[in-house]
Amino acid sequence: MTTSDRDDGRFSYEGLDRIIHERARLSVLTSLVAHPKGLPFPDLKRLCGLTDGNLSRHLAVLSEADLVSLEKGSAHNRPQTVCRLTASGRQRFIGYLGVLEQVVRDAAEAAERGPDAGRRGLDPVTKPA
Amino acid sequence: MTTSDRDDGRFSYEGLDRIIHERARLSVLTSLVAHPKGLPFPDLKRLCGLTDGNLSRHLAVLSEADLVSLEKGSAHNRPQTVCRLTASGRQRFIGYLGVLEQVVRDAAEAAERGPDAGRRGLDPVTKPA
DNA sequence: GCCGTTACTTTGCGGCGCAAAGCGCGATGA
DNA sequence: TCATCGCGCTTTGCGCCGCAAAGTAACGGC
């Protein structure tokens, strides 16, 4: 047998929150958790390699979900939006990271266990050039 | 200073392949890497907690991208599709996992470094000078 | 005043995830 | 023998989303 009933959902990873599990937003949240004092919009943009519009959109989503707070003020006679993780955002992000870690563990373990197990169906595994 | 030029893209994680970085497909790939001999459609469906339609769609995408192979045959007088990781799929997935691991490391490290660093900024909003 | 730059926001579109409906087919039963 | 059921997928349809390009606003030289 290949699977048993109690394996149902073994790899479903329901904790991968749709809001967080998105490349750009993952970037943003990681940047923010690494800069707990907050980051101005342009810095965040550079760190994440995002365009203005893109970052704006994602920040709106994250803010809507109360994962980040946006403090719109001004500095050097210019508008400045400082972005921060909220306390609950931090919690949710850390929870998400736990799931992500589980994914990596599951997969890495499996990948290591049988690099050429079941070779019947798989092409011979070749090294990357 | 908050960021320096050479930090550009520090958290952009370009290796997070759009095809792979999707909850359902991540489930599928992890299941498959854990079962190198392949999995029949219904087993995969249960492992991943997906609906038929959903799994079908994602398999089509993964197959299109040559990450998985679909072997349509029959067993017990019933149609049976066996899904397997391709060799290149395996490599790409492993590459992706490396990036994911980096994300987890970056974030976990940062989160641990300052669980309450900059805490003042989290709820009471303070103005940067 | 005009032009360029900075700091965002809005708009438009293509694509995607998801659930519900559909299809094919063998087994079952009247 | 012919409907009916259930299993194994596939297709359809809708709504949301990511992304880039265009738009707005406000300041700083010239």
Side-chain angles (χ1 to χ4, degrees):
Chain A
M1 82 169 27
T2 45
T3 62
S4 73
D5 285 350
R6 69 164 154 279
D7 280 335
D8 278 27
R10 169 80 176 76
F11 296 117
S12 66
Y13 303 125
E14 280 158 40
L16 292 186
D17 184 333
R18 205 121 161 46
I19 301 277
I20 301 180
H21 188 71
E22 170 67 35
R23 197 179 99 180
R25 292 195 289 259
L26 198 45
S27 280
V28 168
L29 292 174
T30 306
S31 301
L32 290 183
V33 85
H35 295 87
K37 292 177 197 161
L39 282 171
F41 189 101
D43 289 359
L44 196 50
K45 174 183 135 189
R46 276 187 284 270
L47 278 173
C48 299
L50 293 171
T51 61
D52 290 12
N54 232 287
L55 178 54
S56 181
R57 192 120 179 28
H58 288 297
L59 282 179
V61 171
L62 290 170
S63 168
E64 180 70 21
D66 194 41
L67 289 166
V68 311
S69 69
L70 304 178
E71 178 195 339
K72 309 193 182 199
S74 74
H76 318 108
N77 281 341
R78 296 222 141 267
Q80 171 168 282
T81 303
V82 175
C83 315
R84 271 183 267 268
L85 259 187
T86 63
S88 78
R90 191 166 192 286
Q91 288 297 99
R92 284 177 62 186
F93 185 47
I94 287 175
Y96 167 88
L97 284 175
V99 181
L100 214 54
E101 209 176 351
Q102 184 65 47
V103 174
V104 172
R105 252 201 314 274
D106 284 352
E109 181 187 321
E112 209 152 308
R113 197 198 311 287
D116 49 22
R119 75 182 102 28
R120 200 178 45 76
L122 240 29
D123 292 333
V125 177
T126 55
K127 279 286 272 219
Chain B
M1 89 177 70
T2 45
T3 62
S4 72
D5 284 351
R6 71 167 150 280
D7 280 335
D8 278 27
R10 169 82 177 77
F11 296 116
S12 65
Y13 303 124
E14 279 159 40
L16 292 185
D17 183 333
R18 208 121 160 43
I19 301 278
I20 300 181
H21 188 71
E22 171 66 36
R23 196 180 98 179
R25 291 195 289 259
L26 199 44
S27 280
V28 168
L29 292 174
T30 306
S31 300
L32 290 183
V33 85
H35 298 269
K37 294 178 199 164
L39 282 172
F41 189 102
D43 289 359
L44 196 50
K45 175 184 136 189
R46 276 187 284 270
L47 279 172
C48 299
L50 292 171
T51 62
D52 290 11
N54 232 286
L55 177 54
S56 180
R57 189 115 180 35
H58 288 297
L59 282 179
V61 171
L62 290 170
S63 167
E64 180 70 21
D66 193 42
L67 288 166
V68 311
S69 69
L70 303 178
E71 178 193 339
K72 308 192 181 199
S74 75
H76 318 108
N77 281 342
R78 293 225 142 267
Q80 170 167 283
T81 304
V82 175
C83 316
R84 271 184 268 268
L85 259 188
T86 63
S88 78
R90 191 169 190 286
Q91 280 181 14
R92 283 176 64 186
F93 185 47
I94 287 174
Y96 167 87
L97 284 175
V99 181
L100 214 54
E101 208 176 351
Q102 184 64 48
V103 173
V104 173
R105 252 203 313 274
D106 283 353
E109 181 189 321
E112 208 153 307
R113 197 200 310 287
D116 48 24
R119 92 182 86 49
R120 279 179 335 93
L122 286 182
D123 259 342
V125 177
T126 58
K127 195 96 189 277

